[in-house]
């Protein structure tokens, strides 16, 4: 949902998609920014991402609540649905390509592992005078010529050039992609904990949780090991044990009743389970928490 006071555009200042049939839109920075006194005020795009190549000049970017200088030459990729804006100097030389978010998947269909690199802002400063700058300059200039021309295979050429650019952006930000991957793992384990909270008394298998998270049991176990240092089953058992300790310490239920309330059909199995993981039987644990127990004896 758009925030009050922050417009959502197709292109800056426009509510409709570009009128031409191409799957992308191209223009120089000057073509639009000069019309707005070289300032693109904060706005967002619902389903569009933008790739900006700034060759020379001064630029300042606003992204969400941050504002910072951009070192030119540089590449910037702005993800969909994020608030952003720019302030350029009048001598700015640069290019901007706008494309539907779905098109990124087609460009990276043979390299899906790179897709995560574009879930967040990509900012790649380039060293002036180095081969990478000249290579990128030639690519965007060729893109502009193809975009303005009518040669056979024009769309294919545009997609080929754009594919080179997005792969180079993804390769350059390996650390960012790694953090994004770790964030996904963290979120997955957090959602797993939420599901455990709902179902730990039901004694559901790991596959039950994995299915609801849209991953395999192996993927869920690996995520838990990376984020929590143990496997998924142990996390389920830890939640059962936590609840058992709470009930033993603070409720009036007898040990058998506590076992039944946690889904154990056999009271003896509950006692063995608790003792194996806790190091004390349920009765011993409850005694350690009794009002008469000496201070510091509770495990």
């Amino acid at each position: 949902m758009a925030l009050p006071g922050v417009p959502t555009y197709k292109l800056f200042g426009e509510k409709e998609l570009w009128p031409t049939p191409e799957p992308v839109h191209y223009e120089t920075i000057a073509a639009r920014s000069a019309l707005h006194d070289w300032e693109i005020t904060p706005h967002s795009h619902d389903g569009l991402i933008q790739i900006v190549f700034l060759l020379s000049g001064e630029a300042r970017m606003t992204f969400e609540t941050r504002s910072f200088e951009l070192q030119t030459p540089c590449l910037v990729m702005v993800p969909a649905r994020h608030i952003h804006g720019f302030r350029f100097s009048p001598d700015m030389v640069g290019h901007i390509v706008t494309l539907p978010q779905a098109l990124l998947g087609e460009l990276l269909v043979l390299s899906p592992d790179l897709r995560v690199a574009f879930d967040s802002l990509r900012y790649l400063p380039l060293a002036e005078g180095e081969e990478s700058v000249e290579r990128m300059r030639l690519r965007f200039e060729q893109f502009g010529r193809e975009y303005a021309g009518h040669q056979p295979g024009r769309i294919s050429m545009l997609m080929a050039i754009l594919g080179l650019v997005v792969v180079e952006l993804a390769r350059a930000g390996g650390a960012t992609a790694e953090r994004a991957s770790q964030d996904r793992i963290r979120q997955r384990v957090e959602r797993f904990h939420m599901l455990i909270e709902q179902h730990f008394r039901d004694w559901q298998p790991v596959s039950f949780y994995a299915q609801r998270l849209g991953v395999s049991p192996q993927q869920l176990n690996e995520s838990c090991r990376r984020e929590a240092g143990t496997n998924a089953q142990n996390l389920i058992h830890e939640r059962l044990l936590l609840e058992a300790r709470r009930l033993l310490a603070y409720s009036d239920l007898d040990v058998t009743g506590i076992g039944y309330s946690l889904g154990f059909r056999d009271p003896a199995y509950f006692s063995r389970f608790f003792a194996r993981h806790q190091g004390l039987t349920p009765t011993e644990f409850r005694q350690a928490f009794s009002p008469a127990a000496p201070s510091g004896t509770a495990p």
Side-chain angles (χ1 to χ4, degrees), residues 100-176:
Q101 190 174 21
L103 185 59
L104 190 62
E106 296 182 26
L107 293 170
L108 297 173
V109 66
L110 299 179
S111 302
D113 54 310
L114 299 182
R115 178 62 183 83
V116 67
F118 297 95
D119 290 340
S120 57
L121 176 70
R122 313 288 295 161
Y123 168 43
L124 175 61
L126 302 169
E128 191 170 358
E130 288 195 355
E131 180 186 348
S132 59
V133 176
E134 181 64 11
R135 184 171 64 244
M136 200 60 64
R137 182 185 68 81
L138 292 173
R139 285 175 181 167
F140 275 85
E141 287 182 356
Q142 184 182 12
F143 193 95
R145 288 194 302 271
E146 289 288 342
Y147 188 85
H150 303 280
Q151 293 291 322
R154 172 173 167 271
I155 299 298
S156 295
M157 183 65 77
L158 290 174
M159 295 302 99
I161 298 170
L162 193 54
L164 291 171
V165 172
V166 298
V167 168
E168 190 152 338
L169 262 172
R171 284 179 172 178
T176 301

Side-chain angles (χ1 to χ4, degrees), residues 68-115:
F68 48 92
E69 300 292 333
L70 296 176
Q71 172 190 320
T72 59
C74 67
L75 270 174
V76 180
M77 194 289 300
V78 184
R81 294 179 296 279
H82 283 272
I83 299 169
H84 63 283
F86 296 95
R87 177 72 186 176
F88 300 113
S89 62
D91 61 345
M92 171 58 65
V93 177
H95 312 258
I96 182 166
V97 177
T98 304
L99 61 147
Q101 190 174 21
L103 185 59
L104 190 62
E106 296 182 26
L107 293 170
L108 297 173
V109 66
L110 299 179
S111 302
D113 54 310
L114 299 182
R115 178 62 183 83

